[in-house]
Amino acid sequence: MRMLTTAVNTLLKRENSLLQRHGFAHVVAQRTNSVHQTETKVPKIPPFSYSPPPYDGPSTGEIIAKRREFLSPALFHFYNTPLNIVEGKKQYVFDDTGRRYLDAFGGIATVSCGHSHPEVVESVIKQLKLIQHSTTLYLNHTISDFAEALVSTLPGDLKVVFFTNSGTEANELAMMMARLYTGCNDVVSLRNSYHGNAAATMGATAQSNWKFNVVQSGVHHAINPDPYRGIFGSDGEKYARDVHDLIQFGTSGQVAGFIGESIQAIGGIVELAPGYLPAAYDIVRRAGGVCIADEVQSGFARTGTHFWGFQSHDVIPDIVTMAKGIGNGIPLGAVVTTPEIAGVLSRRFYFNTFGGNPMCTAAGHAVLRVIQEEKLQENAFLVGSHLKRRLTQLKDRYELIGDVRGRGLMLGVEFVTDRDLKTPAKLETLHLMDQMKEMGVLVGKGGFYGNVFRITPPLCFTLHDADFLVDVMDHALSKICITEHINNKVSLLCFSSESETCGAKVKRVVIKSEVLEVAVEKEEKLQENAFLVGSHLKRRLTQLKDRYELIGDVRGRGLMLGVEFVTDRDLKTPAKLETLHLMDQMKEMGVLVGKGGFYGNVFRITPPLCFTLHDADFLVDVMDHALSKM
Ligand SMILES: Cc1ncc(COP(=O)(O)O)c(C=O)c1O
């Protein structure tokens, strides 16, 4: 990393001295100023009164070594340099150096009330001191008290609770109950879903990267009602027809049921198209099936408007499964269903050693109380709406953001390198995540292509936290430019002098001066250079358009770009005189552009293909200056 930074600085210095020699000292000064400005603008984490005691545990290196030696090779971690999290309070976590981070992932949507919430912790300690474990073979009031409280949050006839230890277990049990109750085997689930990793749930999960090649029978995966990537856009009813077709053409015509997340979580915070669930439920019920809502991530007030995700779809499921946020991090899951469906389990013995453990259910009950007492659902709504609004504003400024979606404090930001083609911006996502971590913000990542930020913080997240997150993301985005394939190698082109590699999959990191060397000096790869520099130039010109009404359009490809000037954007009145004046002003500052268009109101930017990123920046800065004086 240090070597890379040194190399970059050397190259930048060389370019700066070239610029100075050719009479562009002012550009160097401007650039130096802007670097300093950006440095001072790194957003500051909101204040917090707690400081952790010094950490005296094993080093990061030792932990990594032990993980490698003694734990599953399937374990993976976020970030180039993995974080060693040693403490958590509310929406913040602390690493082994005592550094505080804003936790916008919440241990995968699990920390609902806040890290180490005193009321949850106290209830666990109190229960542990009384009795830790007895099994449901004996009576203990914690399990029944919590079951009663849990049922009170659910609508309809959802009145019987089975406790499990995880979301996978809850979904396994739910699918088995659906099969037993209906006497059918076939289940419909949605593509891009995640429901767990045991036999039945891996079958229901529909993303190849989470599926092992083992027997997973009896699940049919319907077309995903994904408003962003799906073939029918936001038309929920059209997608639901596929459920009908699957049942008619892929089963006996009768099914056990349907399982779906109210908002797909691991799949990249995908909200189901409006109208989908009511239509799909109707079709499934007509085929004799029951409907299972997987609320493992979307439950427990996270979506803000409702306590359960399915409620915003205006449906009442027959079975609801939950985990994660139910225990604020204590291992706990549950299935809630109707007395009639629940009855199927009395056909045999069904037993779960830890399910409903006094310690876990005491924690679960405390979580419900905290959500209510601290009005966390209202907070999720308020802060989540603000956060979504601000993220959407970022989308207007950065082409890299293809979509912002989700509800409450379950939000997703999808990154694409091409908005029309929706090309997943995988490397940029990794890089941004890393950069945001460096500035103190932790977000999750997901989506089939790994190009979606998952923002699922503890529900005590504040408006200041939301602003900090967006400011940090803005800062990181302002430094990222483009990824491109050069000689079949993936390169990440960054504009930060502090750039670094961003994950194992990055084969090469190219800093701008290096690109120029590779592209121009050494091999004269002018086509690649036209693409790289042209894309950057177009992006910067488009940013200018956001600031100056006079710019009606920015268009073109590579180093064949046009900027059209209009005095009225609606009427598209050609700004002929202004175009001439701007051209003149820019010439005075050392930039020559062409002019064209039927009305003579378009800048034609078609430089030699060895045009550099510095040239592009210079052109835009000069144009900005000229426009600001108009
Ligand atoms: C929607 C959903 N269902 C089920 C599961 C499985 O839960 P667990 O990991 O607790 O088994 C997950 C896990 O992330 C999930 O996101």
Side-chain angles (χ1 to χ4, degrees):
M1 165 65 198
R2 203 175 303 131
M3 272 172 60
L4 193 60
T5 312
T6 315
V8 171
N9 287 339
T10 313
L11 287 161
L12 284 172
K13 265 189 214 146
R14 203 193 303 162
E15 284 212 4
N16 282 343
S17 83
L18 269 171
L19 282 168
Q20 256 157 346
R21 238 185 294 148
H22 288 88
F24 290 106
H26 58 291
V27 177
V28 177
Q30 201 178 325
R31 181 164 297 131
T32 316
N33 282 343
S34 76
V35 167
H36 288 312
Q37 269 167 20
T38 332
E39 273 170 6
T40 52
K41 268 199 250 151
V42 173
K44 275 214 161 87
I45 192 165
F48 191 58
S49 56
Y50 177 79
S51 306
Y55 170 75
D56 58 2
S59 70
T60 305
E62 286 169 308
I63 298 171
I64 293 175
K66 276 195 191 171
R67 259 171 81 121
R68 279 207 192 111
E69 191 173 354
F70 301 114
L71 288 167
S72 154
L75 285 190
F76 56 92
H77 56 72
F78 278 161
Y79 307 118
N80 283 327
T81 319
L83 266 183
N84 180 15
I85 298 291
V86 297
E87 232 187 294
K89 286 269 175 298
K90 300 197 88 172
Q91 66 276 36
Y92 300 111
V93 290
F94 298 87
D95 72 9
D96 46 5
T97 68
R99 181 171 180 193
R100 179 161 56 96
Y101 296 84
L102 176 65
D103 180 6
F105 198 26
I108 319 182
T110 297
V111 181
S112 41
C113 307
H115 288 280
S116 302
H117 192 287
E119 190 165 341
V120 181
V121 172
E122 279 312 310
S123 66
V124 170
I125 294 174
K126 197 171 147 202
Q127 185 56 49
L128 281 177
K129 285 183 176 166
L130 288 172
I131 185 160
Q132 187 174 350
H133 181 73
S134 57
T135 82
T136 46
L137 297 174
Y138 306 98
L139 301 186
N140 184 287
H141 71 92
T142 52
I143 182 170
S144 32
D145 288 350
F146 180 39
E148 182 185 27
L150 197 53
V151 159
S152 74
T153 66
L154 283 151
D157 209 16
L158 293 162
K159 296 203 179 312
V160 183
V161 186
F162 295 86
F163 285 111
T164 65
N165 306 290
S166 70
T168 297
E169 256 190 273
N171 283 333
E172 287 283 325
L173 178 59
M175 287 174 72
M176 184 175 81
M177 285 202 273
R179 285 171 166 157
L180 291 174
Y181 179 70
T182 58
C184 289
N185 188 48
D186 289 305
V187 171
V188 178
S189 84
L190 290 177
R191 291 184 194 169
N192 196 48
S193 60
Y194 183 90
H195 295 292
N197 55 11
T201 45
M202 194 180 289
T205 293
Q207 293 185 50
S208 55
N209 32 3
W210 294 106
K211 283 166 93 74
F212 289 87
N213 200 353
V214 293
V215 173
Q216 302 162 41
S217 67
V219 185
H220 306 263
H221 302 109
I223 293 175
N224 199 25
D226 175 351
Y228 181 63
R229 287 188 178 271
I231 45 171
F232 300 126
S234 293
D235 192 335
E237 289 186 17
K238 274 197 185 145
Y239 291 105
R241 277 181 221 150
D242 187 53
V243 175
H244 173 265
D245 289 350
L246 272 184
I247 294 173
Q248 292 309 315
F249 298 105
T251 76
S252 64
Q254 294 285 296
V255 292
F258 169 90
I259 182 165
E261 297 157 86
S262 303
I263 295 179
Q264 287 183 337
I266 290 180
I269 315 290
V270 177
E271 287 184 272
L272 310 184
Y276 178 78
L277 269 194
Y281 273 27
D282 189 43
I283 291 164
V284 169
R285 283 177 175 147
R286 275 198 259 146
V290 299
C291 298
I292 305 168
D294 179 340
E295 292 283 343
V296 167
Q297 294 213 27
S298 53
F300 290 90
R302 180 159 293 284
T303 58
T305 47
H306 301 87
F307 197 86
W308 300 104
F310 64 79
Q311 289 171 311
S312 59
H313 293 276
D314 216 9
V315 292
I316 298 186
D318 305 296
I319 305 178
V320 179
T321 61
M322 56 200 78
K324 292 198 192 279
I326 189 176
N328 203 41
I330 296 288
L332 181 62
V335 179
V336 185
T337 187
T338 64
E340 196 181 330
I341 296 175
V344 297
L345 285 194
S346 47
R347 293 180 196 165
R348 293 284 189 283
F349 289 125
Y350 176 79
F351 181 72
N352 190 317
T353 300
F354 294 121
N357 178 290
M359 177 192 78
C360 299
T361 45
H365 205 161
V367 167
L368 279 187
R369 284 196 303 272
V370 171
I371 291 176
Q372 206 176 14
E373 282 159 14
E374 297 186 5
K375 299 198 181 319
L376 293 184
Q377 182 179 319
E378 289 84 336
N379 191 61
F381 177 73
L382 271 174
V383 178
S385 308
H386 173 68
L387 181 53
K388 189 171 179 187
R389 193 171 317 117
R390 285 219 52 203
L391 290 168
T392 308
Q393 284 163 0
L394 271 196
K395 181 179 158 223
D396 295 339
R397 290 182 34 228
Y398 295 104
E399 283 283 307
L400 195 66
I401 302 182
D403 197 26
V404 173
R405 55 194 180 233
R407 300 171 75 92
L409 286 173
M410 186 166 185
L411 299 176
V413 181
E414 176 151 1
F415 298 101
V416 291
T417 52
D418 183 310
R419 280 195 176 173
D420 293 333
L421 299 174
K422 298 182 180 163
T423 319
K426 296 185 207 185
L427 295 180
E428 289 83 351
T429 309
L430 277 169
H431 178 73
L432 281 170
M433 249 182 106
D434 242 43
Q435 294 299 300
M436 286 176 66
K437 187 257 284 179
E438 293 303 318
M439 287 183 268
V441 176
L442 312 181
V443 292
K445 184 174 70 69
F448 184 73
Y449 305 103
N451 67 324
V452 182
F453 272 0
R454 285 157 64 196
I455 301 174
T456 53
L459 304 184
C460 54
F461 214 63
T462 68
L463 288 168
H464 287 311
D465 297 325
D467 282 336
F468 175 59
L469 184 153
V470 178
D471 291 345
V472 159
M473 195 161 150
D474 189 0
H475 196 83
L477 277 161
S478 72
K479 306 237 168 207
I480 199 166
C481 183
I482 192 169
T483 56
E484 187 39 38
H485 297 256
I486 299 177
N487 291 342
N488 296 325
K489 283 188 183 164
V490 183
S491 303
L492 179 65
L493 179 63
C494 306
F495 280 86
S496 162
S497 56
E498 297 273 317
S499 248
E500 60 186 52
T501 52
C502 54
K505 285 190 190 135
V506 177
K507 293 194 185 116
R508 198 176 96 187
V509 171
V510 184
I511 304 299
K512 55 186 168 182
S513 303
E514 285 180 319
V515 166
L516 302 184
E517 284 211 337
V518 171
V520 184
E521 288 173 22
K522 288 190 184 152
E523 294 165 45
E524 297 226 311
K525 294 196 175 305
L526 296 182
Q527 181 178 326
E528 285 86 338
N529 189 61
F531 177 75
L532 284 168
V533 178
S535 309
H536 172 64
L537 180 54
K538 188 171 178 187
R539 189 168 301 111
R540 285 219 50 204
L541 289 169
T542 309
Q543 283 164 2
L544 271 196
K545 182 178 158 226
D546 294 340
R547 290 179 34 228
Y548 295 103
E549 282 286 306
L550 194 66
I551 303 183
D553 196 20
V554 172
R555 56 191 178 238
R557 298 172 73 90
L559 285 173
M560 188 168 182
L561 299 176
V563 181
E564 177 153 359
F565 298 99
V566 290
T567 50
D568 183 309
R569 279 197 177 175
D570 294 332
L571 300 175
K572 299 184 178 160
T573 321
K576 295 186 209 182
L577 294 181
E578 290 82 346
T579 310
L580 277 172
H581 179 72
L582 275 172
M583 258 183 97
D584 245 37
Q585 293 300 301
M586 288 176 64
K587 189 258 289 173
E588 292 305 315
M589 287 183 271
V591 176
L592 309 181
V593 292
K595 186 173 67 71
F598 185 72
Y599 306 104
N601 65 327
V602 183
F603 272 179
R604 286 157 61 198
I605 303 173
T606 52
L609 302 188
C610 56
F611 212 62
T612 70
L613 288 163
H614 284 319
D615 297 332
D617 282 339
F618 177 50
L619 183 153
V620 178
D621 293 345
V622 159
M623 194 162 149
D624 190 359
H625 192 79
L627 278 160
S628 71
K629 305 265 171 202
M630 295 280 294

